[in-house]
Amino acid sequence: MKFSKSLVSALVAGVAAASFASGVMAQEVDAAKDLMKQNKCTQCHGMDKDKDGPSFKKTAAKYKGKADGEATLVKHLTSSPKVKLADGSEEEHKVVKTTPPNDKAQVTNLVKYILSL
């Protein structure tokens, strides 16, 4: 089977674009995981299991696909609302700290990662 040069060029460009996109996505996931680690999010939230707070997968299931889901979670992580813990007590949720301070793009990336679970 013989392919035209334009078809081969288009296929090569498509593979290159897909490779670039997956590399960018991997960087975004790594950045989200790093931010999660820096802020010690997993002390209160498990990936699959509830701890003092709901698991990340439970949070994703609650907000995924909702028009305001991403914005709601960004606000939650940046405004220190009162939250109920597993034992019934309440405390203020910690604000996610970023470098530089108050970098909404980093928090949004973290929220997108959580919603992807």
Side-chain angles (χ1 to χ4, degrees):
M1 179 179 251
K2 200 170 189 178
F3 295 104
S4 71
K5 285 184 181 182
S6 62
L7 177 61
V8 171
S9 295
L11 289 172
V12 169
V15 169
S19 296
F20 176 76
S22 64
V24 170
M25 288 186 344
Q27 289 174 354
E28 291 170 350
V29 167
D30 289 345
K33 287 180 178 179
D34 287 345
L35 188 61
M36 194 181 281
K37 185 176 181 178
Q38 291 165 15
N39 283 275
K40 301 178 181 168
C41 299
T42 57
Q43 284 184 341
C44 297
H45 303 276
M47 293 306 264
D48 301 318
K49 296 183 181 181
D50 295 345
K51 292 185 178 181
D52 283 338
S55 72
F56 292 118
K57 286 189 177 183
K58 185 181 275 185
T59 300
K62 181 177 179 179
Y63 292 101
K64 195 182 299 187
K66 292 191 176 179
D68 64 342
E70 184 178 307
T72 299
L73 289 175
V74 168
K75 182 178 179 184
H76 182 83
L77 296 177
T78 58
S79 66
S80 196
K82 287 260 188 198
V83 292
K84 280 194 175 189
L85 304 180
D87 66 4
S89 63
E90 287 188 354
E91 70 177 37
E92 287 185 3
H93 191 278
K94 294 178 183 172
V95 171
V96 172
K97 294 179 183 169
T98 61
T99 305
N102 305 316
D103 186 343
K104 189 173 177 182
Q106 289 181 45
V107 177
T108 300
N109 183 57
L110 174 59
V111 166
K112 287 180 179 183
Y113 170 67
I114 292 168
L115 291 173
S116 75
L117 298 174

